[in-house]
Amino acid sequence: MKVGEVREVGHGTTDLHYVETGMFDIEGYSSVYLLDAEEPAVIETGIGTEWEAIVGAMETVGIAPEELAYVAPTHVHLDHAGGAGYLAEACPNAEVVIHEIGAPHLVDPGRLWEGTKRAVGDQIRHYAEPKPVPEERIREVTDGDLIDLGDHELAVHHVPGHAPHQVVHYDPANDAVFTADAAGIYVPDMDAVKPTTPPPNFDVPQAVDDTRTIADLGPSVLCYSHFGPLPAEDRLDEHERALTEFVELVEERRELLGDDEAVVQQFVEGTDLADAWSPDRARAVAEMDVRGILRYLDTREE
C-alpha cells in the first residue's frame, strides 16, 4: 500500500477502512482505522507526521473533518497517539478518547515527548512533536466503558501489559477488535506475529492475560495497529507463544553472557526483521524490545 492509501477492512466487516501511514518510511508498519459509523471514529493516529494523510483518507470514504465524532488512540505511546493533537485541531467537533491514566499526557505532552526522545534515540527524527489536546476535548475512559457510535459501538477493555494506559476497542457489529499492541505486531512480509515489549512498563504475565482477554471476546477479525486486519484464527495463540519464547530466550542469553549490553547487541545483530522493514528500524525495535524484557526481569526479581 502507498502512504495515505485507504482500503476496506473486509473479512465480513462493514463501514470499516484502514489507512497506510508510511510510519518510519516503511510500508506495512502502521495502520489507522476509520469507522464510518453514524458517529464516525478514527482509531489510532500515528506519530503526528501523517495527520494530513489521515484526513485525506477520511474524505475519501466520505467523512468530512467537521463530521468526525471521535479520535481514539489506544494508548499514549507516540506511534499511536502522536497525531491526536493534530487531528483534534483539524476535526473541531471530535472528542479524543483515551484511558484515564493516559489523559494527562495528551493535555500536556511535554514529559511524553522527552521520554520518547530518550527511549527511541535517533529514531526521533521520524516523529513530529505532539500538539496538546485541549482538556475539554478529552473523554477519559476505563475498562467496561462503551463509546456509542450509533450503528456501531466501541467497548473498552483495559489491557495494561504493554503500557498501563493501553486499551483495546471491540466493535460488536463487526466482531472486530482494534488490538493496540496487546496482540503483538503482525508483519505482512513474514506472515508472522511478533511480540512488542518496550520499557519501562512491560509486564509479561499481564501481557499474556491481555492476549487472553482479547481471545475471550471471540472476535472474527483482529485490526492490528502494526499492521492491518486479519481473520483472528490462531493469531492470538501465535502471539502468546512468540512472547513466551522471546522472554525465555532473553533470560537464557542473559544467564549465558552475563552482560546486558552483550545480550542487547546479540539480538540487534540477529534480528530477522531487516528485510521486512528497514535495517535501521529493525535494529531499533530489537534493542527496545530486549531492553523491555531485561527491565521486566529485573523488576520481577525485586
Side-chain angles (χ1 to χ4, degrees):
M1 295 175 67
K2 297 179 180 178
V3 176
E5 184 178 347
V6 57
R7 293 183 181 175
E8 293 183 353
V9 164
H11 306 300
T13 65
T14 59
D15 308 319
L16 187 56
H17 300 76
Y18 69 112
V19 185
E20 162 67 77
T21 71
M23 187 183 293
F24 302 118
D25 298 324
I26 300 169
E27 293 181 5
Y29 186 83
S30 170
S31 314
V32 168
Y33 291 88
L34 313 178
L35 187 49
D36 189 15
E38 291 175 357
E39 296 289 320
V42 169
I43 298 97
E44 306 293 34
T45 75
I47 54 177
T49 58
E50 311 97 343
W51 70 270
E52 290 176 301
I54 295 168
V55 171
M58 287 166 44
E59 293 174 338
T60 297
V61 302
I63 305 170
E66 63 274 11
E67 294 173 339
L68 188 70
Y70 297 103
V71 175
T74 57
H75 56 299
V76 301
H77 288 166
L78 289 185
D79 56 332
H80 297 257
Y86 294 87
L87 288 176
E89 191 174 84
C91 304
N93 298 312
E95 284 188 307
V96 178
V97 178
I98 194 71
H99 189 268
E100 58 192 4
I101 295 174
H105 294 290
L106 296 189
V107 175
D108 181 3
R111 286 180 58 195
L112 181 63
W113 179 238
E114 292 304 315
T116 302
K117 287 194 287 187
R118 289 192 298 272
V120 306
D122 67 358
Q123 292 282 300
I124 201 67
R125 69 186 186 274
H126 294 288
Y127 292 70
E129 184 170 355
K131 288 188 174 185
V133 177
E135 189 169 7
E136 65 274 12
R137 298 279 303 280
I138 287 183
R139 175 176 171 181
E140 296 183 12
V141 294
T142 191
D143 190 70
D145 285 349
L146 294 176
I147 304 164
D148 184 4
L149 308 181
D151 52 349
H152 291 264
E153 67 180 15
L154 298 177
V156 179
H157 296 269
H158 189 208
V159 285
H162 178 83
H165 39 75
Q166 181 180 245
V167 301
V168 297
H169 298 298
Y170 176 53
D171 171 11
N174 279 324
D175 197 22
V177 172
F178 302 94
T179 63
D181 287 331
I185 291 175
Y186 176 67
V187 185
D189 285 357
M190 303 174 71
D191 188 27
V193 174
K194 300 284 189 176
T196 172
T197 61
N201 300 122
F202 192 82
D203 182 317
V204 172
Q206 183 62 58
V208 170
D209 286 348
D210 294 345
T211 305
R212 294 174 182 175
T213 292
I214 299 172
D216 287 344
L217 295 170
S220 299
V221 182
L222 300 176
C223 294
Y224 287 88
S225 302
H226 310 286
F227 168 85
L230 286 176
E233 296 177 343
D234 62 351
R235 295 297 183 174
L236 296 169
D237 289 339
E238 181 184 356
H239 174 244
E240 186 173 334
R241 287 194 304 271
L243 174 58
T244 301
E245 290 169 2
F246 181 53
V247 175
E248 290 173 350
L249 188 56
V250 172
E251 188 169 19
E252 175 187 296
R253 297 290 171 84
R254 174 186 253 190
E255 292 175 359
L256 178 65
L257 298 174
D259 179 83
D260 283 357
E261 292 307 310
V263 174
V264 171
Q265 190 60 32
Q266 191 171 90
F267 278 91
V268 168
E269 291 175 355
T271 179
D272 60 357
L273 289 167
D275 291 334
W277 303 337
S278 67
D280 181 56
R281 183 61 191 163
R283 289 191 294 267
V285 169
E287 177 175 353
M288 185 175 297
D289 285 347
V290 174
R291 292 195 186 281
I293 297 302
L294 292 170
R295 182 175 175 83
Y296 160 74
L297 293 173
D298 287 340
T299 58
R300 185 188 65 180
E301 293 168 0
E302 290 175 357

